[in-house]
Amino acid sequence: MMTRITEKMNASVVLDTLRHTDGYYITNTARDMSQSDYKNRILLHTDLLAAKAREESGYFSLEITGGASIHVDILRKQVDPFLKLKLLRKQMPDTMFQTLCRGVNLFGYRPYPQNVIRLTVREFAKYVDVWRTFDFMNHVPNMQAVFEEVAKAGKINEPCICFSTGPEHTNEYYVGKVQEIIDVTGPEIILCIKNHGGLGSPKRIGQLVNAIKQAYPELIIHYHGHNTDGNDIGRITAAVLNGAAIVDASDHAFTGFYGPPPILTVIQTLKDYDRVAVGINEEAVIRSSDVIRDQRQYYAQFEAQIKGFMPTVQIHKLPGGAMGSSLEQAAKGGFLDKMPDILHNELPKVQKELGNYWSVTPGSQILWTTAVSNVLDGDRYGNPSGDLKNLLLGKYGPFPFYRPADWIYEKAFGPDWEKVLEQEGGIENIEDMDIDKERQTLTGKLGKEPTEQQLVSYLQHPNDAVEFFKFEEKFGQSYVLPPAIFLRQGGFQLGETLVFRDHDGKEHLIEIGPSQQDDDGRTNVYLNVDHHQRTFIIEPETQAGAAAEATLSKNEIANLAKSGDIRALFGGNVYEISVETGQEVHAGDQVAVLEAMKMQTPVISETSGTVASIFAKTGQAVKPGDKLLQIDSDAR
C-alpha cells in the first residue's frame, strides 16, 4: 500500500509507515536550498507562492526553518520565524514541517544554557514536526536536551551522524556512533546521514547505508546530501538501493550548485531501478517550479560569485551552506583571487591539523576563518579566534580521532599552553540563564512585555532580535513585499508608483511621495501606502563612533592597546561591550566581543585601569582600527 505521510499522523504511526512501505519518500529541503545557493535570502513571499503546489506534491516533509535561516529571517528578511511557520501552515495543513537544529548550538553558532535549549525547542515544536539534530563533533551528549524535549512534545527525532571522508571515517566508527545515539533516544527515531559537504562517492554512501542497515535492520535512514560536485543524484540512488527510506532534494527552478539536487531528477533516475517515490504527485512537483520560476531573477544578486559545480569539494570539504557565504566574504574582503589557495591548499591542511572533524556549523566557520587568517596574515595560527581557542580547549566536546599537535596549542596560547589546557580545558559547563531576568531586560528594551516567541528569538540572537522587533513596530510586517520590491537594487525614485500583488493575490499600491530634509539632517519621506498617507523619518547616516583617521597596522593597534586605546583588530560587528564607563579593569579582562563571519572574538585589555570612554555600541559595524574604548591606565 502506497501511503502518503501527513502532519496529522502521530510519530509512531509515521515511523511504522516508513518501515513497512515499499518505496522511498522525499523531503523538500527548501531551507537548505535557500541557505546554500542564495545566502538564505529566499523570502517568505516566494515560499507562500509555492505553498499550495508543494502541499499537493506529497512530500514526507518540507524543511523550511532552522539552520541559519532563523537568524537571517530577523536580520535580513524582516520576518518573524514563528509567523512564517504559522502562515505556511495555513497553506500547507498536511505537510510535515522539518527543522535543522545544531543541538547545543540550537539555531545559533555557540552553546546555549540547557534551559534556553529546552524553552526554544518547546516553542518551535508547536509548529515543527521533524527535528533533524546534529552536532559538528558528533558528540551525542550535546544533542541530548533537544532529543528529550522533542520526545516530550510527541514530535519526530531525527538524530544525525555527520559524514566525512578520510582514514578515520570508517563504517565501524559510524555504526558505533549510531549505537551511542540509540542508547540515548531508543530505537523510535529516524537516523539521518548528514552529508552536508556532498562528500564521498555513490559507492561509499551505499556502503555506509548498507553497513548501518546490516547492524540495525529496523532503523529508518534518511540520506541528506549536497550537490556541490554535481554527483549527489548518484549518492541518493546508492542510498535508496541500499535501504534508505527518505532522501532530500528541492524544486528544480531554484536548484543551483551548492545545495540539494532537483526532486524531479531524483524521481526520474530511481524509476529505472523500479523504485517508487511514495505519495508524490509529479504534476504538483512541476507546478511548484512553474509558480516560482520568474522569481529567481530577483535573487541573482545572492547567488555564488563562482558559478559551476565544484568537484574540489572532495579536497576542501566546505559544506554548501558555508560555500556561498565564504565566497561573498572573499569578494567583500578583496581576497577572491586567493580562494584557490585557501580552498585547495590551506583548508585541507587545517582540516587535518585540527583533527579531521566535520566541517559543518560552527566547525566549518572555525576551519574557514582559520584558513583565511593563515593565508592573509602569513602567520599560521598566529591570530586565533576565540572560537578556535574554545575548540582547542575542548569546549565543544572531545576531539573524536586525535588532538591537534602541540605546536598549534603553543601558537594559540603561548609557551604556558599546557597549564592553560589543564586549567581551562574540557566541555564548558554553561549555567542556566535567569530567563525571568532576561524577560525583564527585553521588556525594558521594547517598552512592553514581550511574547514568549519574542523571548525565544531574543535569547538566541539578542542584538539582532531587538533591532527586528523595533523595525517591525515602526514599519509593520514587510513580508508581504515580493522580491521584485524588497530586494530591488538602485533605490526608488520620487513620484514612482509601485503596484504588486501579495501571496494571496491582493493588489497593493505604494506611491513614493516627496521628501524633505530638516535642519538636523533628518529626511522626511512621504509614502502613500494603499491610499493611506505615511511619513517616515530617516536619521542621517553617521560614521563609526571613532573611525580610524588612517589605516593602522596590526602592530600599531596592538601598541595602542598597551596604552589603553582599544581598537578593532579586524572588520566586523560589535557583539558586546563588556564594561561600563568608570569600571575598573585588569590586564587580561574581556572588555568587548567582536563578531565576524559568525565567529566571536573577545577583546582583551592589555592594561589595568579605569574605563574612561566607550566609543562603540552593540551592533555597530567597525573597520580595523576603529576606536572601541579608552582605558586610563593605573600606571599613568
Side-chain angles (χ1 to χ4, degrees):
M1 180 175 166
M2 310 306 284
T3 306
R4 176 180 178 179
I5 288 171
T6 72
E7 192 267 343
K8 296 174 178 61
M9 297 177 177
N10 66 42
S12 61
V13 172
V14 171
L15 297 178
D16 190 60
T17 301
L18 287 165
R19 288 191 184 101
H20 296 98
T21 301
D22 183 18
Y24 67 97
Y25 287 83
I26 295 175
T27 287
N28 184 332
T29 45
R31 191 279 318 164
D32 205 357
M33 176 175 67
S34 175
Q35 180 166 333
S36 298
D37 284 308
Y38 302 93
K39 302 178 179 70
N40 252 319
R41 294 311 209 286
I42 294 180
L43 301 179
L44 174 58
H45 187 282
T46 299
D47 285 322
L48 286 168
L49 284 179
K52 184 177 179 181
R54 284 175 174 170
E55 166 76 354
E56 294 171 357
S57 295
Y59 299 121
F60 165 74
S61 61
L62 174 72
E63 190 197 78
I64 198 60
T65 189
S69 74
I70 288 170
H71 187 207
V72 180
D73 279 348
I74 62 175
L75 179 67
R76 303 290 182 213
K77 298 191 286 188
Q78 279 70 53
V79 64
D80 185 328
F82 290 100
L83 176 65
K84 176 170 80 172
L85 293 169
K86 293 173 190 174
L87 293 173
L88 285 168
R89 175 55 71 211
K90 288 180 181 178
Q91 302 291 327
M92 305 182 71
D94 286 335
T95 303
M96 291 201 298
F97 289 166
Q98 179 172 307
T99 189
L100 177 68
C101 179
R102 298 161 177 163
V104 72
N105 300 301
L106 284 175
F107 306 120
Y109 314 104
R110 53 204 48 87
Y112 290 97
Q114 290 287 298
N115 61 342
V116 171
I117 295 170
R118 293 179 185 278
L119 175 64
T120 301
V121 174
R122 285 198 298 270
E123 203 60 39
F124 271 97
K126 296 173 182 177
Y127 311 95
V128 175
D129 307 289
V130 183
W131 286 74
R132 175 180 288 170
T133 306
F134 75 93
D135 177 72
F136 83 100
M137 297 293 273
N138 271 339
H139 187 53
V140 176
N142 282 347
M143 302 183 276
Q144 186 162 343
V146 177
F147 294 159
E148 291 172 358
E149 290 301 324
V150 170
K152 287 178 187 176
K155 304 298 183 176
I156 296 172
N157 262 314
E158 187 176 295
C160 296
I161 50 170
C162 295
F163 174 78
S164 190
T165 53
E168 302 85 9
H169 296 265
T170 62
N171 287 346
E172 291 73 21
Y173 169 79
Y174 287 114
V175 169
K177 190 58 63 173
V178 172
Q179 185 61 58
E180 281 186 48
I181 290 171
I182 293 175
D183 286 344
V184 172
T185 63
E188 291 301 291
I189 60 169
I190 296 170
L191 178 82
C192 177
I193 297 174
K194 182 171 170 55
N195 189 8
H196 41 272
L199 301 176
S201 65
K203 180 181 178 181
R204 175 71 190 98
I205 294 301
Q207 288 173 338
L208 178 58
V209 173
N210 181 264
I212 296 171
K213 290 297 286 185
Q214 290 290 334
Y216 308 96
E218 295 298 306
L219 190 61
I220 301 158
I221 295 178
H222 189 161
Y223 171 76
H224 162 80
H226 282 217
N227 203 32
T228 307
D229 63 349
N231 201 20
D232 210 47
I233 296 290
R235 288 185 286 264
I236 287 171
T237 301
V240 171
L241 295 181
N242 282 278
I246 318 167
V247 296
D248 285 2
S250 199
D251 309 280
H252 55 267
F254 268 64
T255 46
F257 301 114
Y258 307 134
I263 291 162
L264 200 60
T265 308
V266 171
I267 295 169
Q268 292 166 344
T269 301
L270 282 165
K271 277 182 180 177
D272 279 352
Y273 294 91
D274 297 320
R275 295 301 198 276
V276 177
V278 180
I280 291 293
N281 179 339
E282 289 186 41
E283 290 184 0
V285 171
I286 295 169
R287 193 160 64 250
S288 297
S289 281
D290 290 344
V291 167
I292 60 175
R293 179 173 283 107
D294 66 345
Q295 303 279 298
R296 183 166 181 165
Q297 60 185 306
Y298 305 113
Y299 297 104
Q301 60 188 294
F302 303 113
E303 295 196 57
Q305 283 76 7
I306 296 177
K307 300 294 189 293
F309 293 111
M310 192 175 282
T312 54
V313 71
Q314 304 298 334
I315 300 170
H316 60 72
K317 301 182 182 180
L318 199 62
M323 197 69 244
S325 61
S326 299
L327 291 168
E328 181 180 43
Q329 290 155 9
K332 288 181 177 178
F335 59 91
L336 198 59
D337 61 315
K338 298 186 184 299
M339 283 297 281
D341 185 31
I342 293 170
L343 290 176
H344 305 151
N345 296 318
E346 186 60 26
L347 196 50
K349 285 182 189 175
V350 169
Q351 273 268 3
K352 292 177 181 177
E353 289 169 350
L354 293 184
N356 199 19
Y357 66 84
W358 297 269
S359 182
V360 60
T361 305
S364 53
Q365 281 86 356
I366 296 173
L367 294 169
W368 160 252
T369 54
T370 301
V372 170
S373 176
N374 287 354
V375 169
L376 297 188
D377 296 345
D379 181 14
R380 302 191 74 241
Y381 300 101
N383 188 26
S385 67
D387 295 276
L388 173 58
K389 288 182 177 180
N390 283 337
L391 175 79
L392 294 171
L393 290 170
K395 300 296 185 185
Y396 295 103
F399 285 98
F401 305 121
Y402 55 88
R403 198 185 77 174
D406 291 353
W407 70 269
I408 294 177
Y409 279 88
E410 186 168 1
K411 289 284 284 190
F413 300 108
D416 295 329
W417 66 270
E418 289 178 296
K419 185 177 179 181
V420 173
L421 187 60
E422 182 181 344
Q423 292 177 343
E424 301 180 26
I427 290 182
E428 190 173 3
N429 183 20
I430 304 173
E431 292 185 4
D432 277 356
M433 187 175 284
D434 187 337
I435 290 178
D436 287 335
K437 183 179 178 181
E438 294 300 320
R439 185 183 283 107
Q440 292 173 7
T441 301
L442 182 55
T443 298
K445 291 176 181 289
L446 299 181
K448 62 180 181 181
E449 183 84 11
T451 67
E452 202 73 358
Q453 293 173 356
Q454 286 179 320
L455 178 63
V456 164
S457 295
Y458 170 76
L459 290 173
Q460 291 179 90
H461 305 290
N463 299 330
D464 297 326
V466 170
E467 289 299 314
F468 165 69
F469 299 147
K470 290 180 177 179
F471 174 92
E472 194 172 62
E473 182 74 20
K474 183 175 182 179
F475 296 108
Q477 294 175 330
S478 58
Y479 73 84
V480 297
L481 294 172
I485 293 176
F486 192 94
L487 300 175
R488 178 167 167 174
Q489 296 178 286
F492 301 93
Q493 300 300 313
L494 288 177
E496 187 173 0
T497 299
L498 309 172
V499 179
F500 67 93
R501 293 187 182 277
D502 63 23
H503 56 275
D504 287 326
K506 181 180 177 181
E507 188 170 274
H508 299 274
L509 177 144
I510 301 175
E511 292 178 332
I512 314 295
S515 70
Q516 62 183 37
Q517 197 171 73
D518 62 23
D519 293 339
D520 296 327
R522 296 181 302 179
T523 302
N524 299 296
V525 178
Y526 299 88
L527 298 179
N528 184 354
V529 182
D530 287 345
H531 307 293
H532 295 282
Q533 187 73 35
R534 307 282 178 90
T535 304
F536 294 99
I537 300 174
I538 310 299
E539 298 291 339
E541 286 192 23
T542 56
Q543 298 298 317
E549 294 80 6
T551 302
L552 298 174
S553 69
K554 288 188 176 180
N555 285 337
E556 289 171 324
I557 293 172
N559 288 331
L560 286 170
K562 293 174 183 176
S563 67
D565 185 353
I566 310 297
R567 308 282 184 124
L569 191 59
F570 54 84
N573 292 306
V574 178
Y575 180 81
E576 177 186 296
I577 298 295
S578 311
V579 293
E580 298 177 351
T581 303
Q583 180 177 333
E584 290 187 11
V585 297
H586 298 92
D589 286 353
Q590 175 181 301
V591 294
V593 179
L594 295 183
E595 186 173 52
M597 294 187 280
K598 303 177 184 176
M599 296 285 100
Q600 291 179 2
T601 299
V603 178
I604 305 300
S605 177
E606 297 291 333
T607 185
S608 296
T610 304
V611 178
S613 303
I614 297 175
F615 301 102
K617 62 181 181 179
T618 300
Q620 177 181 314
V622 292
K623 301 186 294 294
D626 282 356
K627 285 179 81 75
L628 300 179
L629 51 103
Q630 176 68 49
I631 298 172
D632 285 345
S633 174
D634 291 340
R636 289 183 179 180

